[in-house]
Amino acid sequence: MNQQNLDKDEIALLQKPWVKNHTTLTNDDILELYRLFNLYCNPRTRRIDLKDVMITAQHLGLVEKSPIVANTLQQVSDQHGDGGVDFEEFVRELTNKLGNLFDQKGREQLFTLVDIDGKGTLDKDDLKKISEELHLNFSQKDIDEIIHNVAGYDAVDITAEQFEKYLGKLTNRRKIETEVLRTK
């Protein structure tokens, strides 16, 4: 991130402790959300009405193109009813819906979010949809490999428990690697 391209409000935002210590989103993610937030923000109250964001998302076809994102925004919007939210609350609510990969509850929330049809498992078709929505472009071989790594060689889908357990291992490994790098 090049701080020369940031305005003074963005630089001030990046200095806030809750931004510096955010466990799920990067500074770049938070800046993108801040810029989106400012498109809808009432300049006097520094709050947005999430219904306005949802109307725009529907007009842009986000519900069809990116159901995971649309579902997340809809859940946050439903939770707030007619009330607006400030930026910190907006990020906190989105993060809560996306799930914090560093705790079990967060990983379970993430599974619920990507399990769009609510059947309790992710199969090859689900992983393909997620791959397309997130522009990951996984091949069928990649998807088969994901299922085999998470659920076992003969598996055809991934349960919520397998998903949570696998992500738990990955995040714990990442924590250890980060700690080792810090001590060097």
Side-chain angles (χ1 to χ4, degrees):
M1 166 181 22
N2 185 354
Q3 289 217 345
Q4 291 175 338
N5 296 332
L6 303 178
D7 67 29
K8 64 179 173 60
D9 290 338
E10 292 172 337
I11 292 170
L13 173 68
L14 294 177
Q15 301 307 311
K16 293 185 178 190
W18 70 267
V19 173
K20 286 182 173 181
N21 301 319
H22 205 281
T23 58
T24 305
L25 300 173
T26 66
N27 284 351
D28 288 338
D29 294 333
I30 291 174
L31 280 174
E32 284 183 35
L33 287 172
Y34 183 72
R35 291 169 181 153
L36 169 70
F37 183 89
N38 281 332
L39 294 174
Y40 294 92
C41 183
N42 178 326
R44 284 184 288 127
T45 64
R46 302 297 302 155
R47 298 173 75 78
I48 63 171
D49 184 341
L50 290 166
K51 289 181 180 175
D52 293 338
V53 176
M54 285 308 302
I55 289 168
T56 302
Q58 289 167 347
H59 284 307
L60 293 174
L62 184 65
V63 175
E64 292 81 29
K65 293 178 198 168
S66 194
I68 293 172
V69 174
N71 184 28
T72 304
L73 286 172
Q74 186 64 56
Q75 287 177 19
V76 173
S77 178
D78 290 347
Q79 191 170 353
H80 284 276
D82 293 335
V85 295
D86 65 18
F87 181 67
E88 186 174 349
E89 187 177 10
F90 177 65
V91 171
R92 185 176 50 252
E93 293 295 329
L94 281 177
T95 303
N96 287 341
K97 295 299 176 197
L98 293 172
N100 179 350
L101 294 180
F102 292 100
D103 69 34
Q104 181 177 355
K105 183 180 178 213
R107 292 186 295 270
E108 289 169 355
Q109 285 176 271
L110 180 59
F111 183 85
T112 301
L113 183 65
V114 297
D115 181 22
I116 295 169
D117 57 12
K119 66 182 182 224
T121 60
L122 300 175
D123 60 22
K124 292 177 184 185
D125 291 337
D126 296 329
L127 293 175
K128 185 70 174 167
K129 286 179 200 170
I130 293 166
S131 168
E132 289 169 359
E133 182 173 337
L134 299 177
H135 307 289
L136 299 172
N137 303 317
F138 288 152
S139 69
Q140 193 58 51
K141 183 179 177 186
D142 294 332
I143 291 171
D144 290 340
E145 202 171 297
I146 290 168
I147 290 175
H148 295 157
N149 285 334
V150 175
Y153 186 73
D154 293 330
V156 294
D157 58 17
I158 300 169
T159 66
E161 182 181 337
Q162 292 166 328
F163 181 86
E164 188 281 321
K165 188 175 182 181
Y166 185 78
L167 283 181
K169 287 179 186 176
L170 287 179
T171 53
N172 284 335
R173 185 176 337 142
R174 186 164 293 152
K175 279 183 192 176
I176 292 168
E177 289 169 353
T178 303
E179 201 55 42
V180 168
L181 290 174
R182 278 189 202 157
T183 59
K184 285 188 176 184

